[in-house]
Amino acid sequence: MKRRLVLASNNAGKLREFAQLFKPFAIELIPQGQLGISAAEEPFDRFIDNALAKARHASKLSSLPAIADDSGICVDALGGAPGVRSARFAGEHCSDTDNNQKLLSLLAGDLNRKAHYVCALVVVREADDPNPIVVETHWDGEIIDEARGQHGFGYDPYFYVPEHQMTAAELSPERKNAISHRGQALVQLMEQLEKDPFFQKTDD
């Protein structure tokens, strides 16, 4: 049987991306919502710390190994904001549109549009795992003023990738998963999981 791994997220966009990314691997990914697990608090200022808190929370309540990510966009002209508050930049329960409108209003007239996405991925074998598997990656780009593309979520329509002359939302899901911060992080994570004795075993 496949090794079961709880995904500590209720974000629909992330669920879609992770499901696609995990297809090639012998791991059954179980969204925490299917197990009745609510979202964990994210009180920290670092992506890694929030990801670890979410993974431990999901593992504790499910008694299964868990994976969590904390990701967001960091804009140079805003001193790295929104950062860990990317999903709630415009306030609690705000929409992607609200967040993007706030971002663009703060950048109005600013010529420095450099930004990067960050993804911190953490896997814990159990809730109190003293040696969690940790990966953090960046994806560089720029913020543009007009939305482009129909794919992705969050800030993707405004995140322009000069190397590909497209926004993240214009890239096909398959292409985005191959080059994005989350795609890069998963590749690095899988390299570690493949060498980890715990993940060489399967669940009974």
Side-chain angles (χ1 to χ4, degrees), residues 6-10 30-32 51 54-59 66-69:
V6 177
L7 174 61
S9 177
N10 294 319
I30 306 171
Q32 64 180 10
K54 291 190 281 189
R56 292 198 190 283
H57 173 79
S59 181
I67 181 172
D69 93 313

Side-chain angles (χ1 to χ4, degrees), residues 71-107:
S71 54
I73 194 166
C74 298
V75 180
D76 288 12
L78 302 181
V84 296
R85 294 172 180 79
S86 293
R88 53 189 186 281
F89 191 40
E92 296 297 329
H93 311 299
C94 60
S95 67
D96 287 348
T97 299
D98 296 332
N99 285 330
N100 283 309
Q101 287 178 346
K102 179 174 181 178
L103 178 62
L104 294 178
S105 68
L106 291 174
L107 285 176

Side-chain angles (χ1 to χ4, degrees), residues 39-53:
E41 295 294 324
E42 301 178 46
F44 301 107
D45 293 325
R46 298 198 312 161
F47 292 102
I48 287 289
D49 294 330
N50 284 322
L52 182 58

